C-alpha cells in the first residue's frame, strides 16, 4: 500500500500534521489521541495507507502488535490503570478512514460506553498537556526498550 495524501490517518502517521509521537518505527507511528478517553490514550497508525486489518501486510501487522505491547507496558508503568482496552474500529466505524488501533488505560467504575458515543463530550487539552504526557510515555518506553 502507498500513502494517500488525502487521508487524515496518513497525514498523522507521517508527521504531516501536529502530533505527539510516543513511539515510532519504520512501519508505525504511535501518537497521543487528541481527544483522549483517559491520560495516555494512544493511537497506533501504520505509515502506509490501509483501511482494514485484513489489508495489512505481515510486517506492518507485527509492528502494530509489538507496538501495542510496548505502549501497554508504558501505560501500566506511568498511569497504573486497572486495565487496558485495545480496540480497532473498521468499516464505517473507523473515524479516520485509515487503520488504527486504540490503546486506552481504564479504571474501575468508569463507563466505557462513552468511548463510542458520537456526541461524547471530551475536554479540550492544551499543547502543554500533550507535551507532558508525551514526555512521560517516551521516558517509560525508553526504559522498557533498554531491558
Amino acid at each position: 500500500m502507498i500513502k494517500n495524501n488525502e487521508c487524515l490517518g496518513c497525514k498523522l502517521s507521517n508527521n504531516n500534521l501536529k502530533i505527539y509521537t510516543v513511539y515510532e518505527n519504520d512501519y508505525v507511528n504511535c501518537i497521543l489521541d487528541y481527544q483522549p478517553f483517559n491520560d495516555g490514550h494512544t493511537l497506533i497508525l501504520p505509515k502506509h495507507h490501509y483501511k482494514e486489518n485484513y489489508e495489512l501486510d505481515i510486517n506492518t501487522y507485527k509492528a502494530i502488535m509489538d507496538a501495542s505491547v510496548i505502549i501497554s507496558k508504558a501505560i501500566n508503568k506511568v498511569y497504573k490503570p486497572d486495565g487496558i482496552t485495545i480496540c480497532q474500529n473498521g468499516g464505517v466505524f473507523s473515524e479516520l478512514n485509515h487503520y488504527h488501533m486504540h490503546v486506552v488505560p481504564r479504571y474501575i467504575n468508569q463507563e466505557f460506553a462513552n468511548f463510542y458515543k458520537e456526541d461524547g463530550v471530551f475536554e479540550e487539552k492544551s499543547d502543554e498537556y500533550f507535551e507532558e504526557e508525551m514526555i512521560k510515555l517516551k521516558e517509560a518506553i525508553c526504559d522498557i526498550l533498554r531491558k
Side-chain angles (χ1 to χ4, degrees), residues 39-101:
D39 294 346
H41 179 170
T42 302
L43 299 179
I44 303 171
L45 297 107
K47 291 183 176 184
H48 289 283
H49 185 72
Y50 300 97
K51 284 186 173 184
E52 304 295 341
N53 64 345
Y54 52 80
E55 297 174 346
L56 298 168
D57 66 72
I58 193 67
N59 291 326
T60 302
Y61 172 79
K62 184 175 178 343
I64 290 167
M65 297 315 293
D66 290 347
S68 73
V69 171
I70 293 165
I71 299 300
S72 294
K73 287 180 179 181
I75 286 172
N76 272 322
K77 183 174 184 169
V78 173
Y79 303 103
K80 305 197 180 352
D82 297 315
I84 293 175
T85 293
I86 298 175
C87 59
Q88 183 270 326
N89 301 311
V92 298
F93 304 104
S94 176
E95 63 274 10
L96 291 182
N97 205 23
H98 182 102
Y99 178 92
H100 62 288
M101 179 180 283

Side-chain angles (χ1 to χ4, degrees), residues 20-22 32 78-79 128-142:
Y20 297 91
T21 298
V22 298
L32 293 175
V78 173
Y79 303 103
E128 293 79 20
Y129 163 85
F130 286 111
E131 289 286 339
E132 289 173 13
E133 299 307 307
M134 179 182 70
I135 290 167
K136 286 189 258 186
L137 283 172
K138 277 186 161 184
E139 288 175 354
I141 289 167
C142 283

